[in-house]
Amino acid sequence: MPAIVLVGAQWGDEGKGKATDLMGSDVHYVVKFNGGNNAGHTIVIDGEKYALHLLPSGILTPTCTPVIGNGVVIDLEVLFREIDDLEARGVSTEKLVVSANAHVITPYNRTLDKVGERFLGSRKIGTTGRGIGPTYADKMSRNGIRVQDLFDPHILEQKVEAALAFKNQVLTKIYNRRAISVQEVMDELLPYAERLAPMVTDTTLLLEQALNEGRNVLLEAGQATLLDVDHGTYPYVTSSSATAGGACTGSGIPPTRVSRVIAVLKAYTTRVGEGPFPTELFDDDGEFLRKTGAEYGTTTGRPRRCGWMDVVIGRYATRINGVTDFVVTKLDVLTGLEKVPICVAYDVDGVRHDEMPVNQSDFHHAKPIYEEMDGWWEDITGVRTFEDLPANAQAYILRVEELIGARVSAIGVGPGRDAIIARHPLLD
Ligand code: GDP
Ligand code: IMO
Ligand code: MG
């Protein structure tokens, strides 16, 4: 079987975890290919809530092998805490495999993320403070620490020493912080080596064999299209490739093996952290979306900024990712509104833009041009077929589908695992 990619279409928190979980036992491998514990996926099963950060969402399906790919950055403390928490709740994590080439988030990278943000003041990115940016920066600068380095303490020590020689200058002379010793870092990282060792393998080989054996492999993104370091609202982005292209580099699965790209699109828009957001609402409607949609970060607990659906972004996500299927989530949150606006284009200083403006400054100045759809009042959380949705809810989905340029194959109507309307199969 070919591989399937699942990405977020907006600024994250679209419900990717739930969408992955939806495919359940039909998926044999779920690979996290980018990001780290900046991600937060909440999955609700039989009323029980699971919040995952580093572990791929497939961990909740017993038949599925969860894979942490080479494109991920791992905070080992968080990884083992998450494993222990799940085991304590009766979820087996014994199938988890980890790429030997994934990078490790070190204590100095966590510190540099936090002090770096403070240093930026009003120009801050609003990062999750988990050390993500500095760890990817080290990877690109070729002085990162990889999972495999943990199994050779001598090499590890040399690499940490080389990294700290520079980082300590920055910490002490620019940020006025204390220096971090090589020993401190070794003492944090090395004790995990023994527990980690049995999980570590050449995941690219494992996944190629799985595909050759006809297994379904799902490549699951953290973050989303507009947080992608290349295609997002730079510099207000994360530091990894969260779009479909990143699925290949972050997993080692070549593009020729990918048959489908599923994008998860929230029925409205949210964003955490700083950066432009054309349809952001600062009024009661924004508060309504935040309250009704429980829009508070899974990772940092920050209130999410909320706004209406923006199909300029939806179309952009279709283009950048080659989306074949959309999963629209949280349609239930829009119930009870008189009118449901859809942003169909932007007005930038009197000029209409139907596509994402090429210049970031234009995007900062973009004013949404809305089309208003009629709302619906009926409770839709128990609806399981498209035809049973209120006519206005159907019309909303059909209009969004028409504007984003790819079919809507499933619609979320509640947080629970079964609160979903399936229109087209997500797997071949
Ligand atoms: P992710 O990061 O993309 O996996 O998304 P998050 O888990 O951060 O945020 C999505 C939130 O919406 C979670 O709390 C989910 O339980 C919830 N959710 C997902 N789909 C639906 C839906 O269709 N309706 C409602 N009401 N909640 C949903
Ligand atoms: P999931 O996978 C929403 C945002 C942060 C910040 C920016 C950079 O749950 O959708 P970082 O710590 O990555 O350097 O922060 O990216 N961000 C997310 N926003 N959902 C996420 O993940 C996010 N991961 C990072 O808020 O604006
Ligand atoms: Mg999230």
Side-chain angles (χ1 to χ4, degrees), residues 12-13 16 39-41 298 304:
D13 305 322
K16 296 177 291 293
H41 309 303
T298 309
R304 293 174 182 152

Side-chain angles (χ1 to χ4, degrees), residues 145-219:
I145 306 296
R146 295 194 293 175
V147 161
Q148 57 183 283
D149 298 329
L150 262 73
F151 308 122
D152 188 336
H154 182 62
I155 288 283
L156 179 68
E157 189 170 9
Q158 278 182 6
K159 290 192 174 183
V160 172
E161 218 169 70
L164 279 176
F166 176 72
K167 312 255 179 216
N168 274 335
Q169 299 288 325
V170 176
L171 278 173
T172 55
K173 295 189 178 147
I174 295 176
Y175 295 125
N176 207 16
R177 306 281 295 204
R178 73 173 181 86
I180 294 175
S181 72
V182 174
Q183 199 54 48
E184 259 176 85
V185 179
M186 298 291 282
D187 287 349
E188 176 178 319
L189 300 182
L190 271 183
Y192 294 115
E194 195 181 334
R195 234 186 129 185
L196 190 63
M199 303 172 189
V200 177
T201 189
D202 179 348
T203 48
T204 66
L205 184 62
L206 175 85
L207 293 170
E208 197 217 12
Q209 284 165 349
L211 287 168
N212 289 346
E213 285 163 13
R215 305 306 218 160
N216 285 331
V217 176
L218 182 75
L219 307 171

Side-chain angles (χ1 to χ4, degrees), residues 76 99 102 112 130 151 187 189 194 196 211 223 248 368 390 393 411:
L76 291 163
S99 166
L112 283 166
R130 304 295 195 260
F151 308 122
D187 287 349
L189 300 182
E194 195 181 334
L196 190 63
L211 287 168
Q223 294 77 51
C248 293
I411 302 156

Side-chain angles (χ1 to χ4, degrees), residues 11-13 16 38-41 126-128 223 227 237-238 272-273 302:
W11 278 288
D13 305 322
K16 296 177 291 293
N38 47 348
H41 309 303
T127 73
T128 58
Q223 294 77 51
L227 287 173
V237 292
T238 191
V272 196
R302 290 180 285 181

Side-chain angles (χ1 to χ4, degrees), residues 8 11-16 32 34-42 52-53 113 117 125-134 136 221-224 227 235-240 270-275 297-300 302 304-305:
W11 278 288
D13 305 322
E14 295 90 351
K16 296 177 291 293
K32 181 178 168 81
N34 75 305
N37 55 313
N38 47 348
H41 309 303
T42 301
L52 302 173
H53 299 286
D113 191 359
E117 280 280 278
I125 307 290
T127 73
T128 58
R130 304 295 195 260
I132 306 293
Y136 277 113
Q223 294 77 51
L227 287 173
Y236 299 101
V237 292
T238 191
S239 299
S240 69
T270 63
R271 168 159 215 175
V272 196
E274 308 301 316
T298 309
T299 299
T300 57
R302 290 180 285 181
R304 293 174 182 152
R305 299 159 62 193

